[in-house]
Every structure is written in structure tokens, then in C-alpha cells.
């Protein structure tokens, strides 16, 4: 596999080579390594990888390559076997992950790879864990080799009872090495470094981590749809009962050879308008209009509506589940503050740090003409400014402190510089598994100390002021960061240059132990001080991610004692990690010199803080689900104001016992105002053994932060909240790891960001920034729901009122199931005569956008469902019965029971009634509404001359027709409108309160 190639399956890395395109660009760094090695002899031996058996294959891998070897495989990049991968589509983290080839396979020739066997556990969803072994079998048999002649016989045994990959001779001695997550690359990750990697496939297809962590998509139906379905069922029952009642009033007697059940069927046909087929058409057309508004809103440019079925759901959200990386944050770290014990530097004061750094790492004048400039070590004397009279003792002390902390930060990390050619220019970038470390190294470069070269065994630092290499170290050991240890460290041997003074035996080697980590663990490791706790608390309140930096000088004897103890612990088969940690603690982690504290800011997305505050005021509870570390999640929650200042954060991490889980639940019950911070392992324990008690308690908390969550866990949380609360859930994310969560939510929102478009394409709505979500919910969501609720009820009213007229007519005609309005009248009523005005209600709005943002509590009201409820439905039913009864009853009384004159009056009043009722329901007039109302009225008036088949046109042009229409219209419209005015005055709606009306 090469650079930018997507890994097709879950693999174990066997070998990694530098690409040929980088051979020339790395010659300078190679010279740095050679010069570093020649400057000073090594005084101690570093801790090396476990020895590999010197079989024929390993010896062949270490011999000088022949011409045929050079054509068979590229030159190894120093034999380090390092490569970087991007995992943003798997776990949502945009920082690059370092992957290492096992020492057992890195030096192995390609032709010897068939001698390997990889053993791994069964497939699972844990993207951050892997346990396996790799075994190398002796070359005691003629293994398959594609470079050998094809006619050479193949004699190999295959152990078919083994599920592992490879062939072996079970009688030979094995040479094996352990495999962990650092040796793997999961499917859907991308090879980021400029190297060629050879790997063996372990899991494929549905067994890959990506496939196991992905949930199947589902078809989403909005809550409004279910509510309308329930009302439609009531209307169906009402239609059937009404038909039966009319037949029962006739006594279930047969008339004109028509059986009673035939009469029921005829009534069902006549009353079919009660169940409005046009309701679904109007609502679907309304959804299209809402989508059009969203996509053309200049305030949320780039928004895309990918589903037209659930825009009303945006107005019913009560829980928001958000990803962190790329959603709330930009995943761009910046060192904002540094404290060196007596002085704190931030913002413009960083220029003073740069000044001290230039002074500390400048080349003395007397060394300008020498072949090699002296190198700086922690033991070097701080070089003050040329004007010594101004260099007070205090400034020299501060300058020395600044020099020491900058040097420690420039060395104590796992960052690797890489170079690439772009448009003929060489561009250097930094790669690491943590964006914090990249931010710190970039900061050290900005103040004057650049990381020039780094491999597994050496490092070189360059002064940006002079361009000279000023620090060279040999890396003796690196202790990587773990979520349990919360710290990382390294042991380095400094090269002092050829002109360095002779050191005593005790000081020989210039070996230093550097360590940085969280204040919670470093406070007990560094020497006693009186400022660490206060300063870390101040930075934490600012939402900065704090790191405490310390160092300790080691003599050669101290290092050798540690190396012996550490090596013995590393060879133990039982409690290996605990033994290695104990060796580090006993020999190194005691009374470290405290150098300083750094504060790194994870830059938030634009307007995240006000957006979260507005959503909380709108009654939405916010959960943050991330695959990142506990400390990172806590800092982002504080900086984004997801956790209020002074609010208690209850942390549950690495929980494995049920009794401790029960204790945590009891504690949370006593602290209902606390914020919960929980990791994926503890969450899995709760969901397995305490699912119902945990979720019932968690949904009541003001905020929940879940870290180290797998994609499947995110989806499970969304489903669990939906099932337990029956509330609407909105999930928002920007990476492929968020797809399952987005699809499991009632409303899925994807952000187009650095992690690609997977989340955006899988979501129901796509936006460009998190702050656009507030407008999507509070403005468009609220409008969509209220408009659809009003539209649905008015369409039901329109169908119900004509059915009431039909009922009155059937009763007056001695229960004959004859149609009141026939043919075109019935069709025209539901289309050209009423459809445009009724549908124009989708343009209505009760408040403008500024008021909706100023009073987000208006959104909170929608969660109660009062806009479309059984109560509002019954009110509309009563209005329909009253108006239908008045229109048809008075028409029959004032004109005639049957005949074209009655039909003309009744139908005209019915159309006028609907047009005026639409006008009554409009809160904010839109030009389209005015045009549709006046246009429909004119269309009806213009069509009357063509309705001679149904109307008595001679009667229509008389004064008697006009006064009857006016009187009946007034009687049907005035009482409902008066009741509406009285109710609005007695109990005004919230939107009128905020408007001051």
C-alpha cells in the first residue's frame, strides 16, 4: 500500500519502507544522524526491541542487499518500520496515528513472509484494542516463494486445524512476538505517510471493525405523521358511526329494494370527504416548500435537505447528541499559555519567550569560525544578552527557566517531521497521534526551536534564528501516553559536541528523563511546590488543556539500574504492564524538577458557545459523544460552556465492577444537578447490567459527556434515549464514525468538514457549521411544525364541514343517501376553489426570526405538542359541525329543501366561509396569501356562469341571493371568530406576549 491509499480490510503491518520519492529529501536528515553519531560516543546502550532469533531468514534480511534485492523491494527507511494512518472515518479523530511494524517482520525479506503466522482474537467492535501474536517458523522446509523457479516442487505442510494465517512445521522451534493496536490498520483508514507498507489481512467483509461498528439505515417517519394518523383513525370511526346512525334513524328498513347495509355503503361514499385524501398531498407539498426555504436561506449557506419526510421533526427536538471533533471543535490546537513558576506568558507576552529562546540557543561569537558549533544541553549556562549590564540576575533566572521548559517541550513528544514536495517547494509538516503534541511542537518552532529530525533512536533541534543544529539527543527510551497513566515521558542522552568539557564519571552521559502529563498525576511526581495546583485550576477554568512538564537528571549508574529492572519486567509473562510501570515509578518518577505548565486550547467552531446556550434555553438537553480521551472531552465541555462554571462533573472511568457501578448510580441520584462524564468501557457496563436505572437517571441530568465511545455505542445511546423517553432525538456529527448515530436518530444532521462527506451524505440535513443548527431548529424547525399543524387541521376542517352539510341534507331529504354537491362542485371545492388559499398557510409565521432567537423558550412550547393535539382537533370538529349545520340548515330554511337555488346559496356560502376562515387563521400576511385569496374568489365568481347545470343562474343575479348569502355567512363566521378573540384576550398565546400585542 502507498500514500493516500485506503486500507481495504483490517490488516497487521509487517513492513514499512520509505518511498523512493523521499530518498533525496531525507539525505539531509541522514547526514544529521551521521554527524550526531560521530560527535560523541555512546556511553550507555539504549533499551532495544526484544532480540530476534538469528535464523537464516533474519540474517538474510540484515545482509547487504544485492542487485536482485534492490529490484525486489525498496530500501528500508532506516529500518524503523513506521507509518502514519488517518482514522477520521473510523473514530472521528483527525490526527494521524503512528503504526509500527513488528521488529520480527520489519527486517524480514519478502520471500520469507510465508513463514509467518498471525493469530488474532475473534472479530469485535473495539476500534482501540487488538491482541494478537505473530510467529516466525524456521526455514526447515521449502516454503512457497514466487521468486523461485515455477518447476521447483512445493513441499509444505498445512495445519488445517488452525485458524491462523501461515504454514508451519510443528516440530520446529518458534520465534514469536506480541501484536497490539500499534501494529494494525483497520479498514477504511488511509495510509497518510509517504511510505510503502506491506501488511497481512486479518479480518475482511462484515468482520472488519468498520462493518461491525456500522448500523443499518432505516426509514424515518415523523411524529407529526403518527399524530395525524391517529386523528385520521378517529375520523374513520366517526364516518362509520355517522353512516350507521343515519340508517338506524331510518329504522334499518329496506327502501326501493335497497338493503340497509347498501345504504350504509352509500353514506360512506358520500362522507368520504371526512377522510381527506388531499391531506397527504398538501402535507407533502408543504414539506417541499420547507426544504426550499432551508436550502435558500442565506444565513445557513450550503445547507442541503436530503429527506423531505421529516422537516417538522426539527421543531420537536428535546435531546441533542453531538460529536466533538470537527463538530463542536475545529480540532486545531494552539498553545495559549505557559507558566514557568514565577511568570506566566500568554498572547503578546510570547514575544518575550521567543527573545529568551533566541538568546539561549544562539551561537557564541568565539565559536563562529570553528568547524562545529557547540550543542546546547540542559546543563549549559544560559547565554544572556550582549549588554550584560542589563541582564539582571532575575532575568537570567527567568531566561534559564524559559530555556529549560522550551527544550523539554521540544524533546518530550512523539512528533515526527515529514517533508513533501509541492510546486517545487519542500514543505515540512508534523505528524503525531495527538494534536496537542503537534500544537506544542509548532509553538516551540514559533519561539525559535524547530524539530529538524526525529526517528526512533535520535532527534535533532534547529535554531530558527541561526539555522544551525543546536540540540542533538539519542533517544534511549520513550514511554507513550496512555489513558490510564495520563502522562508520557522519554529518556534522552544529549550530545555535547567535540569542544565540550570533560564530565565526571557521575555526570558522564548527560542523560535526562523528561515527562509531561495531567496535573492530577504529575502533582505527586514532581517536587514539592506552592503554585502548581493554583495555576492548573486557573487554566482549567479557562477551558485550556493543561500539561505539567518536569525533568530529572540521571547518572549512568541510575540509568543502567533502571534499564535492568525495566527489561526484566518487559520479559515477564504475567503482569507485564504493571511490572514495567512499577520500574518506571521506582527509578524515575520521584522528585522531578517542575519546569512549567502549558495550556493548550482546542479551537471551537464558530459561535459554538452562544449556540449551545440558545439550544439549552430552548429546552434541549445536550449530550456530547466522542471517541476522544477523558481529559480532552472534559476540557472541551468546559471551554464550550457545555458545563457551567462551578458545576460539578462526576467522572466515571475504567469501571469494571457492578458494585462500584451501583454506588455511582446512588451518588448521581443525590446530585441531580451534576454533569456526568463517562467513558465507553464504563458505559458498556451500565448498559449491560443497569440499562433502565442508568438511562432513567442520565436523561434527567443537565449534560452528559461520553468519551471513548465506539460508533455502535453512539447509535445505541440514541436508540436507548428514544425508547425510554419517547422524545425526539437529534444527532449531529461530521465523520464516518458518526453515521450510525445519525441514522439512529429521529433527525440526523451532518456537517461537511475535514473528515469528509460521509456524515453529510448519510444525514437528513447537511450544514457547514455547528452554529447553523440553531437556525435550522429554532427558526425553520419551529415554522415547519406550526405550519404543518395548522395546515393539517384546516384540511380536516375543509373536508368535515362539507360532510356536515351532506348530513343535514340527507336528514332533510328523509334519510335518502343522495349527494348534495355533485360532479364538478365536489371536485372544484377541494381543488380550484379552496386549495390555493389553504395551502398558502405554509407561508405563515407568528414571529420573525429575531424574536425566535431572542426568545428560544417559544421553541420549548412545541415539545408539548399543543399545536396539534386532541384538544385542538376537537375544537376544529366543533367549529366544522357548527358552520356546516348553519350553512346547510339556514340554506334549506331560507331557500328550499332541495333544488338548484338551495345548492347555489349553500355552495357559495361554503366557499366564502373557507376563504374567510383562511384569512382568520393568518398571523403574518404574505403577498402570495393575498393573491391566492383574491384570485380564488375571482375564479369562483368567474366560473358561476358555467355552473348552470347545478345552479339556478337566474336566481343568482337577484338581490335575494345576495342577502341570503351574506346573512348565512355572517351567522357561520362571526361566532367562531368572536370566540377566538375572547380566548386570545383572556389567555393570549406566547407569540403575542413577546410581540407585546
Amino acid at each position: 500500500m502507498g500514500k493516500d491509499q485506503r486500507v481495504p480490510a483490517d490488516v497487521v503491518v509487517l513492513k514499512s519502507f520509505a518511498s523512493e520519492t523521499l530518498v533525496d529529501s531525507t539525505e539531509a536528515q541522514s547526514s544529521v544522524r551521521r554527524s550526531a553519531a560521530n560527535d560523541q560516543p555512546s556511553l550507555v546502550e539504549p533499551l532495544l526491541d526484544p532480540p530476534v532469533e538469528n535464523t537464516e531468514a533474519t540474517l538474510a534480511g540484515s545482509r547487504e542487499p544485492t542487485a536482485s534485492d534492490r529490484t525486489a523491494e525498496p530500501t528500508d527507511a532506516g529500518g524503523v518500520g513506521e507509518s502514519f494512518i488517518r482514522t477520521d472515518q473510523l473514530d472521528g479523530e483527525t490526527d494521524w496515528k503512528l503504526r509500527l511494524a513488528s521488529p520480527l517482520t520489519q527486517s524480514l525479506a519478502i520471500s520469507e513472509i510465508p513463514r509467518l503466522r498471525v493469530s488474532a482474537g475473534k472479530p469485535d467492535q473495539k476500534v482501540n484494542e487488538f491482541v494478537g501474536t505473530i510467529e516466525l517458523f524456521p526455514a526447515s522446509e521449502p516454503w512457497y516463494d514466487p521468486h523461485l523457479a515455477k518447476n521447483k516442487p512445493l513441499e509444505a505442510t498445512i495445519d488445517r486445524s488452525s485458524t491462523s494465517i501461515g504454514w508451519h512445521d510443528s516440530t520446529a522451534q518458534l520465534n514469536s512476538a506480541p501484536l497490539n493496536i500499534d501494529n494494525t490498520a483497520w479498514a477504511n483508514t488511509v495510509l497518510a505517510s509517504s511510505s510503502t507498507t506491506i501488511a497481512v489481512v486479518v479480518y475482511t467483509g462484515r468482520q472488519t471493525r468498520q462493518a461491525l461498528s456500522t448500523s443499518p439505515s432505516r426509514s424515518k417517519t415523523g411524529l407529526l405523521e403518527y399524530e395525524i394518523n391517529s386523528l385520521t383513525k378517529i375520523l374513520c370511526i366517526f364516518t362509520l358511526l355517522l353512516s350507521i346512525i343515519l340508517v338506524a334513524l331510518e329504522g334499518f328498513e329496506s327502501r326501493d329494494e335497497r338493503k340497509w347495509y347498501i345504504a350504509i355503503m352509500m353514506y360512506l361514499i358520500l362522507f368520504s370527504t371526512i377522510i381527506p385524501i388531499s391531506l397527504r398531498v398538501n402535507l407533502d407539498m408543504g414539506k417541499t416548500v420547507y426544504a426550499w426555504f432551508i436550502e435558500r436561506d442565506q444565513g445557513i449557506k450550503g445547507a442541503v435537505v436530503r429527506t423531505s419526510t421529516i422537516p417538522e421533526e426539527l421543531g420537536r427536538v428535546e435531546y441533542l447528541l453531538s460529536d466533538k471533533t470537527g463538530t463542536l471543535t475545529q480540532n486545531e490546537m494552539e498553545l495559549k499559555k505557559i507558566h514557568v513558576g514565577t511568570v506566566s506568558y500568554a498572547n503578546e507576552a510570547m514575544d518575550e519567550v521567543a527573545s529568551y529562546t533566541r538568546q539561549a540557543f544562539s551561537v557564541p561569537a568565539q565559536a563562529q569560525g570553528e568547524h562545529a558549533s557547540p550543542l546546547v544541553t540542559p546543563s549549559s549556562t544560559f547565554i544572556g544578552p550582549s549588554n550584560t549590564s542589563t541582564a539582571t540576575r532575575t532575568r537570567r533566572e527567568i531566561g534559564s527557566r524559559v530555556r529549560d521548559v522550551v527544550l523539554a517541550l521540544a524533546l518530550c513528544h512523539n512528533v515526527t517531521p515529514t517533508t513533501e514536495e509541492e510546486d517545487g517547494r519542500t514543505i515540512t509538516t508534523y505528524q503525531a497521534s495527538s494534536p496537542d503534541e503537534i500544537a506544542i511542537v509548532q509553538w516551540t518552532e514559533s519561539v525559535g526551536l524547530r524539530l529538524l529530525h526525529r526517528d526512533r533512536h535520535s532527534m535533532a533541534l534547529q535554531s530558527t534564528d541561526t539555522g544551525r543544529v543546536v540540540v542533538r539527543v539519542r533517544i534511549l527510551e520513550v514511554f507513550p501516553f496512555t489513558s490510564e497513566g495520563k502522562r508520557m515521558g522519554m529518556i534522552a542522552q544529549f550530545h555535547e559536541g567535540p569542544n565540550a568539557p570533560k564530565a565526571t564519571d557521575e555526570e558522564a552521559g548527560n542523560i535526562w528523563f523528561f515527562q509531561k502529563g495531567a496535573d492530577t498525576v504529575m502533582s505527586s511526581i514532581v517536587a514539592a511546590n506552592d503554585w502548581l495546583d493554583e495555576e492548573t485550576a486557573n487554566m482549567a477554568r479557562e477551558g485550556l488543556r493543561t500539561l505539567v512538564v518536569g525533568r530529572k537528571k540521571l547518572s549512568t549508574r541510575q540509568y543502567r539500574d533502571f534499564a535492568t529492572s525495566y527489561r526484566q519486567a518487559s520479559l515477564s509473562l504475567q503482569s507485564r504492564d504493571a511490572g514495567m510501570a512499577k520500574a518506571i515509578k521506582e527509578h524515575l518518577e520521584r522528585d522531578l524538577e517542575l519546569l512549567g505548565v502549558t495550556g493548550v486550547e482546542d479551537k471551537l467552531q464558530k459561535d459554538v458557545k452562544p449556540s449551545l446556550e440558545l439550544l439549552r434555553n430552548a429546552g434541549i438537553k445536550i449530550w456530547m459523544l466522542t471517541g476522544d480521551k477523558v481529559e480532552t472531552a472534559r476540557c472541551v465541555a468546559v471551554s464550550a460552556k457545555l458545563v457551567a462554571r462551578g458545576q460539578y462533573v462526576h467522572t466515571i472511568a475504567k469501571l469494571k465492577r457492578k458494585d462500584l457501578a451501583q454506588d455511582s448510580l446512588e451518588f448521581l441520584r443525590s446530585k441531580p444537578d451534576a454533569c456526568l462524564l463517562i467513558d465507553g468501557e464504563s458505559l458498556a457496563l451500565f448498559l449491560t447490567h443497569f440499562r433502565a436505572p442508568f438511562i432513567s437517571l442520565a436523561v434527567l441530568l443537565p449534560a452528559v459527556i461520553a468519551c471513548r465511545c465506539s460508533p455502535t455505542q453512539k447509535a445505541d445511546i440514541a436508540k436507548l434515549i428514544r425508547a425510554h423517553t419517547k422524545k425526539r432525538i437529534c444527532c449531529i456529527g461530521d465523520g464516518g464514525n458518526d453515521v450510525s448515530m445519525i441514522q439512529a436518530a429521529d433527525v440526523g444532521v451532518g456537517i461537511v468538514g475535514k473528515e469528509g462527506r460521509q456524515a453529510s451524505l448519510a444525514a437528513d440535513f447537511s450544514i457547514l457549521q455547528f452554529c447553523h443548527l440553531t437556525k435550522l431548529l429554532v427558526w425553520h424547525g419551529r415554522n415547519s411544525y406550526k405550519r404543518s399543524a395548522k395546515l393539517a387541521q384546516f384540511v380536516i376542517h375543509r373536508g368535515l364541514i362539507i360532510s356536515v352539510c351532506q348530513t343535514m341534507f340527507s336528514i332533510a331529504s328523509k334519510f335518502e343517501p343522495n349527494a348534495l354537491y355533485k360532479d364538478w362542485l365536489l371536485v372544484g371545492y377541494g381543488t380550484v376553489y379552496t386549495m390555493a388559499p389553504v395551502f398558502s398557510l405554509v407561508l405563515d409565521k407568528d414571529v420573525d426570526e429575531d424574536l425566535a432567537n431572542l426568545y428560544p423558550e417559544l421553541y420549548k412550547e412545541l415539545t408539548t405538542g399543543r399545536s396539534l393535539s386532541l384538544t385542538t382537533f376537537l375544537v376544529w370538529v366543533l367549529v366544522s359541525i357548527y358552520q356546516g349545520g348553519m350553512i346547510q340548515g339556514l340554506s334549506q330554511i331560507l331557500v328550499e329543501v332541495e333544488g338548484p337555488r338551495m345548492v347555489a346559496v349553500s355552495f357559495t356560502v361554503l366557499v366564502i366561509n373557507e376563504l374567510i376562515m383562511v384569512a382568520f387563521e393568518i398571523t403574518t400576511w404574505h403577498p402570495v396569501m393575498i393573491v391566492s385569496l383574491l384570485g380564488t374568489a375571482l375564479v369562483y365568481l368567474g366560473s358561476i356562469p358555467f355552473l348552470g347545470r347545478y345552479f339556478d343562474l337566474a336566481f343568482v343575479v337577484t338581490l335575494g341571493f345576495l342577502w341570503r348569502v351574506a346573512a348565512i355567512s355572517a351567522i357561520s363566521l362571526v361566532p367562531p371568530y368572536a370566540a377566538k378573540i375572547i380566548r386570545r384576550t383572556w389567555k393570549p398565546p406566547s407569540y403575542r406576549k413577546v410581540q407585546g400585542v
Side-chain angles (χ1 to χ4, degrees), residues 400-580:
S400 179
R401 283 178 173 270
V402 171
R403 189 273 313 268
D404 291 341
V405 72
V406 171
L407 180 60
L409 292 173
L411 292 174
C412 187
H413 54 72
N414 276 313
V415 179
T416 302
T418 60
T419 57
E420 294 183 0
E421 294 287 340
E422 283 190 15
D423 301 329
R425 296 181 296 111
T426 301
I427 299 176
T428 301
T429 57
Y430 297 118
Q431 307 302 338
S433 59
S434 171
D436 300 62
E437 294 197 323
I438 295 178
I440 291 175
V441 172
Q442 289 174 338
W443 176 83
T444 61
E445 180 180 358
S446 69
V447 298
L449 198 58
R450 176 188 295 125
L451 176 62
L452 179 64
H453 162 74
R454 165 71 182 266
D455 60 27
R456 294 177 71 181
H457 304 296
S458 64
M459 192 184 307
L461 304 180
Q462 179 189 50
S463 171
T464 58
D465 189 31
T466 63
R468 294 175 179 266
V469 176
V470 293
V471 177
R472 288 189 181 123
V473 300
R474 185 185 185 200
I475 301 174
L476 302 181
E477 186 58 64
V478 175
F479 312 108
F481 180 92
T482 62
S483 56
E484 294 85 3
K486 300 181 182 180
R487 58 192 182 275
M488 74 85 56
M490 68 173 298
I491 301 176
Q493 179 185 6
F494 284 81
H495 297 281
E496 302 183 25
N499 300 324
K502 298 295 182 180
T504 63
D505 292 340
E506 188 66 22
E507 297 176 350
N510 209 349
I511 304 173
W512 290 79
F513 169 60
F514 295 96
Q515 190 171 61
K516 65 181 180 183
D519 59 286
T520 53
V521 295
M522 293 294 293
S523 59
S524 60
I525 296 176
V526 298
N529 60 88
D530 57 358
W531 59 270
L532 177 60
D533 293 340
E534 180 181 357
E535 190 58 33
T536 54
N538 292 336
M539 291 187 182
R541 279 192 290 269
E542 297 176 21
L544 300 178
R545 304 164 70 164
T546 58
L547 282 177
V548 180
V549 187
R551 70 177 184 182
K552 181 179 183 180
K553 187 172 184 180
L554 303 177
S555 65
T556 305
R557 176 176 298 177
Q558 287 176 318
Y559 173 73
R560 286 173 176 166
D561 290 343
F562 161 73
T564 301
S565 176
Y566 192 73
R567 187 184 299 275
Q568 290 177 351
S570 66
L571 297 176
S572 174
L573 297 179
Q574 296 180 350
S575 303
R576 177 184 299 176
D577 292 341
M580 295 166 68

Side-chain angles (χ1 to χ4, degrees), residues 94-240:
T94 56
D95 46 283
W96 293 9
K97 305 292 192 303
L98 177 64
R99 291 297 183 257
L100 306 173
S102 172
L104 189 66
T105 60
Q106 176 62 24
S107 59
L108 200 64
I110 293 180
S111 59
E112 301 295 334
I113 287 181
R115 293 173 50 204
L116 297 172
R117 182 177 72 178
V118 176
S119 300
K122 64 180 182 179
D124 58 38
Q125 302 173 353
K126 299 177 181 178
V127 296
N128 296 316
E129 295 181 15
F130 177 75
V131 177
T133 58
I134 187 167
E135 298 171 317
L136 176 66
F137 295 92
S140 57
E141 297 186 5
W143 296 84
Y144 169 71
D145 188 351
H147 303 287
L148 298 178
K150 293 184 178 180
N151 56 2
K152 187 174 180 179
L154 175 65
E155 298 176 359
T157 60
I158 302 177
D159 183 4
R160 300 188 181 275
S161 63
S162 173
T163 59
S164 305
I165 304 171
W167 304 333
H168 70 279
D169 178 5
S170 59
T171 62
Q173 185 177 359
L174 304 182
N175 188 13
S176 63
L179 297 174
N180 55 34
I181 188 65
D182 294 331
N183 307 119
T184 64
W186 300 141
N188 211 29
T189 59
V190 178
L191 191 65
S193 55
S194 300
S195 60
T196 300
T197 301
I198 298 176
V200 59
V201 175
V202 181
Y203 306 114
T204 61
R206 297 182 178 178
Q207 295 182 345
T208 61
R209 290 322 201 246
Q210 176 75 13
L212 292 173
S213 300
T214 303
S215 302
S217 59
R218 66 184 183 92
S219 178
K220 298 182 180 180
T221 304
L223 181 59
L224 185 70
E225 302 287 339
Y226 292 115
E227 292 172 344
I228 292 177
N229 286 345
S230 299
L231 299 181
T232 304
K233 294 174 183 177
I234 296 176
L235 292 176
C236 289
I237 297 173
F238 178 75
T239 303
L240 180 61

Side-chain angles (χ1 to χ4, degrees), residues 27 80 84 123 209 225 231 234 360 403 409 467 519 582 648 668 720 870 930:
E27 287 182 355
V80 295
F84 285 93
R209 290 322 201 246
E225 302 287 339
L231 299 181
I234 296 176
R403 189 273 313 268
L409 292 173
D519 59 286
K582 181 179 179 181
Y648 175 73
L668 284 174
L720 192 58
L870 184 61
I930 300 174

Side-chain angles (χ1 to χ4, degrees), residues 699-717:
V699 295
L700 301 177
L701 299 177
V704 177
I705 304 160
C707 50
R708 287 301 182 194
C709 285
S710 66
T712 305
Q713 279 184 319
K714 292 182 178 182
D716 289 343
I717 292 174

Side-chain angles (χ1 to χ4, degrees), residues 221-509:
T221 304
L223 181 59
L224 185 70
E225 302 287 339
Y226 292 115
E227 292 172 344
I228 292 177
N229 286 345
S230 299
L231 299 181
T232 304
K233 294 174 183 177
I234 296 176
L235 292 176
C236 289
I237 297 173
F238 178 75
T239 303
L240 180 61
L241 290 177
L242 183 60
S243 301
I244 295 174
I245 289 173
L246 290 178
V247 175
L249 291 176
E250 192 180 4
F252 291 103
E253 297 179 358
S254 300
R255 180 181 297 183
D256 299 331
E257 299 182 355
R258 185 180 62 232
K259 300 295 184 182
W260 63 268
Y261 52 84
I262 300 296
I264 292 178
M265 298 302 296
M266 295 178 69
Y267 277 123
L268 287 175
I269 296 173
L270 291 176
F271 297 147
S272 60
T273 55
I274 295 179
I275 308 169
I277 305 301
S278 61
L279 176 59
R280 179 62 52 198
V281 177
N282 280 273
L283 289 177
D284 288 345
M285 291 173 59
K287 296 175 193 293
T288 304
V289 173
Y290 308 148
W292 188 87
F293 283 146
I294 293 173
E295 293 185 343
R296 282 157 183 77
D297 190 334
Q298 295 302 308
I300 49 175
K301 289 184 177 180
V304 179
V305 179
R306 303 194 185 278
T307 178
S308 61
T309 59
I310 56 171
E312 300 92 353
E313 292 297 274
L314 293 170
R316 310 288 294 275
V317 173
E318 294 190 53
Y319 287 89
L320 174 64
L321 276 56
S322 173
D323 179 39
K324 179 190 74 68
T325 306
T327 303
L328 297 178
T329 69
Q330 302 178 30
N331 204 36
E332 293 180 3
M333 307 295 178
E334 181 181 1
L335 194 147
K336 302 289 288 186
K337 194 173 184 180
I338 184 169
H339 196 285
V340 296
T342 55
V343 184
S344 179
Y345 298 97
N347 303 323
E348 292 80 7
M350 290 297 182
D351 295 338
E352 189 173 349
V353 176
S355 175
Y356 283 129
T357 305
R358 286 195 300 270
Q359 296 171 18
F361 295 98
S362 61
V363 180
Q366 62 270 22
Q368 294 282 345
E370 299 180 7
H371 176 69
S373 61
L375 300 175
V376 178
T377 71
S379 303
S380 301
T381 303
F382 174 74
I383 303 173
S386 57
N387 185 5
T388 55
S389 61
T390 61
T392 63
R393 179 179 179 182
T394 302
R395 287 186 59 83
R396 284 198 301 271
E397 290 178 353
I398 295 176
S400 179
R401 283 178 173 270
V402 171
R403 189 273 313 268
D404 291 341
V405 72
V406 171
L407 180 60
L409 292 173
L411 292 174
C412 187
H413 54 72
N414 276 313
V415 179
T416 302
T418 60
T419 57
E420 294 183 0
E421 294 287 340
E422 283 190 15
D423 301 329
R425 296 181 296 111
T426 301
I427 299 176
T428 301
T429 57
Y430 297 118
Q431 307 302 338
S433 59
S434 171
D436 300 62
E437 294 197 323
I438 295 178
I440 291 175
V441 172
Q442 289 174 338
W443 176 83
T444 61
E445 180 180 358
S446 69
V447 298
L449 198 58
R450 176 188 295 125
L451 176 62
L452 179 64
H453 162 74
R454 165 71 182 266
D455 60 27
R456 294 177 71 181
H457 304 296
S458 64
M459 192 184 307
L461 304 180
Q462 179 189 50
S463 171
T464 58
D465 189 31
T466 63
R468 294 175 179 266
V469 176
V470 293
V471 177
R472 288 189 181 123
V473 300
R474 185 185 185 200
I475 301 174
L476 302 181
E477 186 58 64
V478 175
F479 312 108
F481 180 92
T482 62
S483 56
E484 294 85 3
K486 300 181 182 180
R487 58 192 182 275
M488 74 85 56
M490 68 173 298
I491 301 176
Q493 179 185 6
F494 284 81
H495 297 281
E496 302 183 25
N499 300 324
K502 298 295 182 180
T504 63
D505 292 340
E506 188 66 22
E507 297 176 350

